[in-house]
Amino acid sequence: DLHQPLHTGYAVDKGGNTIEITSNSVSGNLHSVWDTQIIDAKNITADSCLQLYATLDTVEIAEMKKINELKWMYQSRSFLDTVYSFKNNFLDKNYIDGNADIIKKQLVIAGLRLASILSSIFGSQS
């Protein structure tokens, strides 16, 4: 959850829950658009996340896996300007397409970090 930027968002709009959005492909509140609707609209799947993972180098992966929850929260918050970069509560195709890439990468990073945390708790298994 920490890797979805609106989960680290602003209390004033309840993490985007009070902002109603319109678009040609998504609708509802901004939070739900980021939670599921862009994922569904752009067909982001486990396979597409694995394809992105395959493009990462080992140094980048090792850096992502370092456990530092506060740093992870600030990294998620760094996307908030992008999350809120729309006018008149309308999300155009460029917004959906550009943010789909962020969401996909955040899903990959979240999976790596979850694996790192679980390994630290349970030990690595061969």
Side-chain angles (χ1 to χ4, degrees), residues 106-120:
Q106 287 298 97
L107 287 169
V108 170
I109 293 168
L112 287 167
R113 289 175 173 169
L114 176 59
S116 184
I117 287 172
L118 292 174
S119 290
S120 75

Side-chain angles (χ1 to χ4, degrees), residues 73-116:
M73 190 244 346
Y74 284 118
Q75 286 172 336
S76 275
R77 284 187 64 85
S78 75
F79 292 111
L80 289 175
D81 286 346
T82 303
V83 171
Y84 288 93
S85 67
F86 54 84
K87 293 183 181 174
N88 301 319
N89 293 43
F90 182 80
L91 307 182
D92 62 18
K93 183 179 181 331
N94 290 334
Y95 180 97
I96 302 293
D97 292 348
N99 287 307
D101 292 338
I102 291 171
I103 291 169
K104 187 187 311 180
K105 186 157 189 184
Q106 287 298 97
L107 287 169
V108 170
I109 293 168
L112 287 167
R113 289 175 173 169
L114 176 59
S116 184

Side-chain angles (χ1 to χ4, degrees), residues 30-87:
L30 183 63
H31 192 101
S32 72
V33 166
W34 272 76
D35 263 349
T36 59
Q37 293 186 47
I38 292 175
I39 292 168
D40 292 341
K42 298 307 294 180
N43 195 32
I44 298 172
T45 63
D47 285 338
S48 63
C49 289
L50 288 170
Q51 289 171 357
L52 175 59
Y53 171 76
T55 68
L56 303 174
D57 65 54
T58 55
V59 173
E60 191 175 12
I61 292 169
E63 185 60 33
M64 287 176 188
K65 291 171 70 174
K66 290 181 182 174
I67 298 173
N68 185 336
E69 296 88 347
L70 190 59
K71 180 179 177 183
W72 299 348
M73 190 244 346
Y74 284 118
Q75 286 172 336
S76 275
R77 284 187 64 85
S78 75
F79 292 111
L80 289 175
D81 286 346
T82 303
V83 171
Y84 288 93
S85 67
F86 54 84
K87 293 183 181 174

